[in-house]
Amino acid sequence: MADIASRLKAVQEGIERLAELAAPDQADAASRLVQKLKGELDDAIAEASGGPQEPSTSANLPRNPRHVEIRCPICSLRSFTYQKGTMRRSDETESGFEALYHCLSCGHEAWHEA
């Protein structure tokens, strides 16, 4: 089982390296994909190594942010919309959670406190 854990760690490192090489215009999408894959790999590594398994991170997350639609920091229109299923934990916010928002007007995407 330890062999599987080391192989999964190598895959995880490769994914992180691939995210660093992603084109600047795809950096947000690459970052979201890396976070999702890292979570899945962390679960698989914990399972393969027989270590203590933490409950799935999505089980502890709120379903929706406080505000589903807010004012866009770029174009100032009220069309900065929460992207369903993108809630994640964040040590840098007061609430402890952040979510991905996408502006339906100008196309700006960013993580915002949920």
Side-chain angles (χ1 to χ4, degrees):
M1 290 295 184
D3 183 40
I4 292 172
S6 64
R7 288 177 25 207
L8 289 174
K9 281 199 179 282
V11 170
Q12 188 174 26
E13 291 169 1
I15 289 171
E16 290 171 2
R17 177 71 178 130
L18 183 60
E20 292 172 6
L21 298 172
D25 61 335
Q26 296 295 322
D28 287 336
S31 177
R32 286 192 307 272
L33 181 58
V34 165
Q35 293 303 321
K36 178 183 175 199
L37 293 175
K38 282 178 69 175
E40 291 176 12
L41 281 173
D42 287 339
D43 292 343
I45 290 169
E47 187 177 317
S49 65
Q53 294 183 359
E54 296 177 8
S56 174
T57 55
S58 62
N60 300 333
L61 296 176
R63 288 188 174 202
N64 289 317
R66 270 181 258 154
H67 305 288
V68 176
E69 192 171 83
I70 56 178
R71 189 171 302 278
C72 177
I74 302 299
C75 69
S76 298
L77 296 176
R78 192 167 181 78
S79 59
F80 206 40
T81 307
Y82 163 66
Q83 299 300 293
K84 196 172 190 177
T86 60
M87 191 78 77
R88 69 180 184 188
R89 294 195 180 284
S90 172
D91 294 332
E92 300 171 4
T93 61
E94 282 186 35
S95 68
F97 300 101
E98 64 183 357
L100 183 68
Y101 282 76
H102 175 82
C103 181
L104 301 175
S105 178
C106 69
H108 175 68
E109 282 189 342
W111 290 94
H112 190 271
E113 183 172 4

